[in-house]
Amino acid sequence: MAPHGLTKLLKLSFYSLVVVMMVMTHQTQGFRLGPLWRKKSKNVVIDPTPIGICASSVLVHGYKCQEIDVVTQDGFILNMQRIPEGRDGNGGGDGIKRQPVLIQHGVLVDGMTWLLNSPEQNLPLILADKGFDVWIANTRGTRFSRRHTSLKPNEHAFWNWSWDELVLFDLPAFVDHVQQETGQKMHYVGHSLGTLIALGSFSEGLLVDKLKSAVFLSPIAYLSHMNTVIGALAAKAFVGEMTELLGFAEFNPKMKLVTQFLDALCASPGVDCYDLVSAFTGKNCCLNSSTVDLFLQNEPQSTATKNMVHLAQTVRDGVLAKFNYGTADYNMMHYGEASPPVYNLSNIPHDLPVFLSYGGQDALSDIRDVQRLLDSFRAHDVDKLSVQYVREYAHADFIMGVNAKDIVFNQVVSFFKHHT
Ligand SMILES: *[C@@H]1O[C@H](CO)[C@@H](O)[C@H](O)[C@H]1NC(C)=O
Ligand SMILES: *[C@@H]1O[C@H](CO)[C@@H](O)[C@H](O)[C@H]1NC(C)=O
Ligand SMILES: *[C@@H]1O[C@H](CO)[C@@H](O)[C@H](O)[C@H]1NC(C)=O
């Protein structure tokens, strides 16, 4: 690669660090990203035949689990796990049909993040024990969803997508399959990017007729206040430098260039990597260090560079819109309009039962941005909207907090039981 290209790639990498740090915050005082990252970087090559999520994280706890593949309209083969019932068949009433729940992870991670704590602390297993039929999604590009009917992950065309395509193709593939198999409407749980793609989808009137309710944990939509100057600068740099690689590359946060870039960054004068981490993620209050270790063995996962650029555009532009091709001409070509079409969240049907839980320490889902998101629910039916604010929680606490069951997941279960 030419030195020029390398510089660009390094700049691109910077934003990934930002996002990766968001998902890998750590409660330990004095936590430094450098050594942690080095630990991870030994294993750069993706294991071609990793053991599936059912085998590694569900069956071992005495639950049934099926590995399922679904194919999107644009040819991606996506992996799901189904946990049809509680441990040893528990949780069902006599003759009562279990209601399906679809669980959607965020960016740069996969469905396994829901299963890293001990079984009585994990949302999917809690739901199964409470009588739900649980389906875990893994979006395109993540470890078990790196397959396509005609493309290979080493081809550029395989990575030619952003979260618009998750809205258009991945989410419908998951939802349609669950509906087909169960014959029922389902509940939805999303975390982080898993909330954004659902909000985008519902605002376009998609999928809502197939849902009973939706839960948004650590919701992201608007990202203007994504804390800190560095975050904003990084996003700007990312958008500015993107053209050369746009849409034509896998974004693998484990790649060596990112590691090297990070080491260099942490070694530069005036940069304190500890501060950098808390600045970007917010301080998660309640993570278990064994769980964090397990997290680091399994994540982060790849996404498309184009997806990262799209997220950076959202930070920069302060609007929730489709991918911006950068010039009026290109946008015209793709959308028939000079600017990318906006996702208007006020159009989310007002009678959809929604439960939204957000944290006071969450730097990615900043409370000012959540407030703006809530503004678009102003006309929502009052009895269909529940909002929970957890003062001490940051981004990862909502999936992996040791007390998330008591604080959040039990509320989710009650909410689902209320909106059957
Ligand atoms: C932390 O995780 C370990 C391993 O799963 C578990 O044994 C321990 O009980 C957990 N601690 C808490 C506070 O949940
Ligand atoms: C990427 O996708 C866009 C449409 O979404 C298409 O116009 C473009 O030709 C694609 N590029 C490649 C390299 O596949
Ligand atoms: C969004 O939709 C609402 C009504 O559904 C409308 O009043 C508002 O002007 C729209 N906003 C944008 C930015 O188009």
Side-chain angles (χ1 to χ4, degrees):
M1 189 180 296
H4 185 59
L6 192 68
T7 311
K8 293 206 168 187
L9 198 55
L10 289 177
K11 283 185 183 164
L12 289 170
S13 303
F14 183 67
Y15 192 65
S16 84
L17 303 180
V18 173
V19 180
V20 168
M21 284 186 286
M22 285 164 189
V23 294
M24 64 196 320
T25 18
H26 204 282
Q27 82 281 28
T28 310
Q29 288 299 318
F31 164 65
R32 293 191 59 92
L33 195 59
L36 189 61
W37 197 270
R38 266 192 290 280
K39 184 164 125 195
K40 193 64 203 129
S41 69
K42 272 186 255 156
N43 190 7
V44 176
V45 179
I46 290 172
D47 181 351
T49 53
I51 170 174
I53 291 176
C54 278
S56 70
S57 314
V58 182
L59 294 167
V60 288
H61 298 308
Y63 293 76
K64 288 183 187 158
C65 186
Q66 296 162 251
E67 296 284 352
I68 293 156
D69 288 340
V70 298
V71 183
T72 66
Q73 236 180 60
D74 61 344
F76 284 86
I77 302 166
L78 307 178
N79 180 232
M80 300 183 86
Q81 286 74 39
R82 181 186 195 178
I83 308 167
E85 57 187 38
R87 190 168 0 206
D88 308 320
N90 284 340
D94 288 336
I96 294 170
K97 256 193 166 175
R98 292 165 190 271
Q99 298 176 44
V101 180
L102 175 63
I103 304 186
Q104 175 63 63
H105 62 80
V107 70
L108 296 174
V109 298
D110 67 359
M112 198 189 277
T113 45
W114 298 103
L115 295 160
L116 298 176
N117 269 339
S118 51
E120 57 281 358
Q121 295 173 328
N122 290 331
L123 178 63
L125 303 182
I126 290 169
L127 286 169
D129 282 333
K130 294 285 185 186
F132 294 93
D133 174 7
V134 178
W135 299 71
I136 300 172
N138 297 276
T139 49
R140 61 182 64 189
T142 56
R143 185 170 31 174
F144 300 106
S145 298
R146 298 169 62 86
R147 290 167 294 155
H148 189 277
T149 50
S150 64
L151 301 169
K152 297 255 172 332
N154 62 0
E155 295 177 69
H156 287 154
F158 185 93
W159 300 100
N160 184 18
W161 50 269
S162 80
W163 56 264
D164 288 334
E165 279 71 25
L166 304 184
V167 169
L168 267 179
F169 301 119
D170 286 26
L171 215 43
F174 295 132
V175 168
D176 289 347
H177 184 79
V178 172
Q179 197 191 34
Q180 233 169 52
E181 290 296 309
T182 64
Q184 295 190 71
K185 291 187 179 188
M186 68 208 73
H187 300 285
Y188 179 86
V189 182
H191 176 256
S192 191
L193 192 72
T195 68
L196 176 58
I197 59 177
L199 291 162
S201 170
F202 304 163
S203 75
E204 308 256 278
L206 304 171
L207 304 183
V208 275
D209 58 324
K210 296 171 182 165
L211 297 187
K212 288 183 204 279
S213 77
V215 166
F216 301 116
L217 305 180
S218 228
I220 62 168
Y222 305 103
L223 290 169
S224 314
H225 293 98
M226 194 184 83
N227 244 319
T228 79
V229 179
I230 302 170
L233 284 180
K236 274 182 193 144
F238 197 85
V239 172
E241 298 296 326
M242 61 150 183
T243 31
E244 202 165 291
L245 288 166
L246 176 59
F248 302 122
E250 171 175 1
F251 193 86
N252 182 354
K254 292 174 197 169
M255 64 192 174
K256 208 168 165 200
L257 281 172
V258 179
T259 328
Q260 290 168 344
F261 177 73
L262 184 68
D263 285 348
L265 185 75
C266 290
S268 26
V271 175
D272 180 331
C273 283
Y274 175 69
D275 281 345
L276 206 58
V277 169
S278 17
F280 281 122
T281 60
K283 272 203 173 83
N284 293 290
C285 63
C286 303
L287 302 188
N288 179 338
S289 55
S290 319
T291 304
V292 172
D293 285 345
L294 203 54
F295 178 88
L296 293 171
Q297 287 162 29
N298 288 285
E299 318 289 351
Q301 304 279 319
S302 288
T303 189
T305 301
K306 189 173 175 180
N307 189 32
M308 300 302 287
V309 172
H310 193 185
L311 284 169
Q313 289 173 350
T314 310
V315 176
R316 179 194 61 180
D317 299 341
V319 291
L320 207 56
K322 297 200 176 179
F323 184 82
N324 192 332
Y325 282 89
T327 69
D329 283 354
Y330 277 118
N331 284 330
M332 191 61 84
M333 209 166 82
H334 284 278
Y335 305 117
E337 298 168 44
S339 315
V342 168
Y343 291 101
N344 187 340
L345 299 187
S346 308
N347 293 337
I348 294 174
H350 298 165
D351 59 352
L352 176 70
V354 166
F355 175 82
L356 191 149
S357 185
Y358 68 109
Q361 304 301 314
D362 194 331
L364 179 51
S365 178
D366 185 274
I367 54 174
R368 287 164 294 183
D369 289 326
V370 174
Q371 207 50 56
R372 186 165 163 211
L373 169 61
L374 286 172
D375 282 347
S376 53
F377 282 92
R378 254 185 317 212
H380 210 77
D381 295 357
V382 262
D383 59 335
K384 297 289 167 60
L385 180 64
S386 309
V387 178
Q388 180 187 35
Y389 172 63
V390 187
R391 192 169 47 84
E392 68 275 21
Y393 263 25
H395 212 62
D397 289 315
F398 286 92
I399 330 173
M400 295 187 282
V402 292
N403 53 2
K405 177 182 185 175
D406 296 330
I407 295 179
V408 181
F409 301 160
N410 284 341
Q411 316 300 316
V412 171
V413 170
S414 316
F415 172 78
F416 286 162
K417 296 209 157 162
H418 188 69
H419 294 283
T420 52

